[in-house]
Amino acid sequence: YFKKFQYCGYAPHVRSCKPNTDGISSLENLLASIIQRVFVWVVSVVTCFGNIFVICMRPYIRSENKLHAISIISLCCADCLMGIYLFVIGAFDLKFRGEYNKHAQLWRESIHCQLTGSLAILSTEVSVLLLTFLTLEKYICIVYPFRCLGPRKCRTVTVLILIWMIGFIVALIPLSNKDFFKNYYGTNGVCFPLHSEDTENIGAQIYSVTIFLDTINSWVVIFILPINSALNPILYTLTTRPFKEMIHQFWYNYRQRRSLKSKGSQKTYTSSFWVEMWPLREIPPESKKPAAFTDPCEMSLISQSTRLNFFS
């Protein structure tokens, strides 16, 4: 029995060595469970696709409050970072598949792991702060509708900038002081700080408890935290009335264009059908030309007959 599962790699002659995993990684794989390996790809695809779709579609909702739309787009950007984080973890899991213990130490100390972990913290903190801001904004508008406390453009932009600045500061502080935080993001294979039960590094433990407030385990990192990023586009955009109205308008315009095209094609087909069934007879060129009279007697007789018919 060892304190860390990585030490089992130094005792290959031992028949049974415990622990063989830390709840996240094993000696062979970065993600020990097949459920985690599948779920990390599913959630990363759903999160990235859903948030990018909302970012692209939000500008086309005309009836939407522009300031609220800016906040939602900012929230989608923060949630999309969580999808990128999961994608990176899944990619390195494939890279180290079957021989993770050989690369575990270098991976956890690498700049890739540090940046990936800071990306997850940035996404989590900004997403929580933005949801808090949106909730307070709605609360003020509902409880105090007749006071001048509504959102303003300058105020909203300032709050969004402050939220992103706070997120960057929280994510980068552990990288600024290695002596105090040690290897803050490299304590596990997924590069997510889980120091709430770490008694060796008191500084990292206090910082993690301050950020996350209760104990977080590895399954929460893979299953619970990304769910928030995946569901935010559904809750704040896809199920709202303006978005549904926009989808109905797009569908109505599409059906109108299809009907116009079908009517135009039917007219063209009908006209071409009648032309093929009853083609126009060509008039001989001789009949199109006026009659040529070369005899002056004939011309005089015709003119006289015309005059008589006119007077009669």
Side-chain angles (χ1 to χ4, degrees):
Y1 289 87
F2 291 107
K3 185 176 181 179
K4 296 183 179 180
F5 80 98
Q6 291 93 344
Y7 297 153
C8 289
Y10 299 103
H13 59 283
V14 177
R15 180 176 301 176
S16 177
C17 183
K18 300 294 181 180
N20 53 14
T21 179
D22 62 348
I24 301 176
S25 306
S26 63
L27 295 177
E28 294 81 16
N29 301 313
L30 191 154
L31 297 176
S33 172
I34 183 65
I35 300 176
Q36 292 176 337
R37 291 198 292 268
V38 173
F39 200 80
V40 73
W41 286 104
V42 173
V43 177
S44 63
V45 171
V46 172
T47 302
C48 289
F49 176 77
N51 287 282
I52 291 174
F53 177 76
V54 171
I55 292 172
C56 295
M57 295 299 294
R58 268 284 172 177
Y60 295 98
I61 303 179
R62 298 178 180 178
S63 60
E64 182 66 38
N65 186 350
K66 298 301 180 183
L67 297 179
H68 183 71
I70 293 174
S71 301
I72 295 298
I73 291 175
S74 183
L75 177 63
C76 290
C77 292
D79 292 335
C80 194
L81 296 180
M82 180 59 71
I84 297 174
Y85 159 77
L86 293 176
F87 177 79
V88 173
I89 295 299
F92 277 97
D93 174 64
L94 289 177
K95 182 179 180 180
F96 301 143
R97 185 67 55 84
E99 52 180 15
Y100 170 68
N101 199 44
K102 296 180 181 178
H103 311 277
Q105 191 67 25
L106 292 176
W107 158 244
R108 294 198 305 269
E109 295 178 354
S110 66
I111 188 63
H112 301 92
C113 182
Q114 307 300 316
L115 293 179
T116 303
S118 60
L119 194 69
I121 293 297
L122 173 64
S123 172
T124 303
E125 294 302 315
V126 173
S127 180
V128 171
L129 291 176
L130 283 173
L131 290 175
T132 304
F133 169 68
L134 291 172
T135 303
L136 289 176
E137 186 182 60
K138 292 296 182 184
Y139 174 81
I140 292 173
C141 291
I142 293 173
V143 178
Y144 306 103
F146 301 107
R147 295 187 182 182
C148 298
L149 300 176
R152 299 292 185 270
K153 183 176 182 180
C154 183
R155 185 189 306 172
T156 301
V157 173
T158 303
V159 171
L160 294 180
I161 293 175
L162 286 176
I163 287 176
W164 279 97
M165 289 178 62
I166 292 173
F168 274 104
I169 291 173
V170 170
L172 297 179
I173 278 180
L175 301 178
S176 61
N177 194 338
K178 291 287 186 179
D179 296 332
F180 184 77
F181 291 100
K182 307 299 181 184
N183 189 10
Y184 184 77
Y185 292 112
T187 56
N188 52 69
V190 295
C191 306
F192 198 90
L194 303 172
H195 296 276
S196 57
E197 296 179 353
D198 189 1
T199 58
E200 294 181 356
N201 194 343
I202 302 300
Q205 180 183 2
I206 294 174
Y207 192 74
S208 294
V209 172
T210 303
I211 292 176
F212 299 108
L213 303 179
D214 289 326
T215 299
I216 300 178
N217 56 32
S218 61
W219 289 85
V220 173
V221 177
I222 302 297
F223 286 91
I224 304 302
L225 292 179
I227 289 296
N228 173 60
S229 301
L231 291 181
N232 281 338
I234 300 175
L235 297 177
Y236 289 91
T237 298
L238 301 183
T239 57
T240 58
R241 182 178 57 83
F243 183 81
K244 293 179 180 179
E245 291 176 353
M246 182 192 66
I247 295 299
H248 286 307
Q249 187 64 37
F250 281 169
W251 177 247
Y252 176 77
N253 294 338
Y254 173 75
R255 293 184 62 181
Q256 288 293 107
R257 288 195 296 267
R258 287 291 301 270
S259 62
L260 291 176
K261 288 182 180 179
S262 61
K263 289 180 180 179
S265 61
Q266 289 178 0
K267 290 181 180 179
T268 305
Y269 175 78
T270 305
S271 60
S272 62
F273 175 78
W274 288 106
V275 169
E276 291 178 359
M277 292 297 294
W278 288 278
L280 295 175
R281 294 183 179 180
E282 295 184 357
I283 301 176
E286 293 78 5
S287 60
K288 293 180 181 179
K289 296 180 180 179
F293 300 100
T294 56
D295 193 354
C297 294
E298 294 179 0
M299 294 184 66
S300 62
L301 290 174
I302 291 174
S303 60
Q304 290 177 2
S305 64
T306 303
R307 289 173 183 174
L308 291 174
N309 291 330
F310 176 76
F311 286 108
S312 61

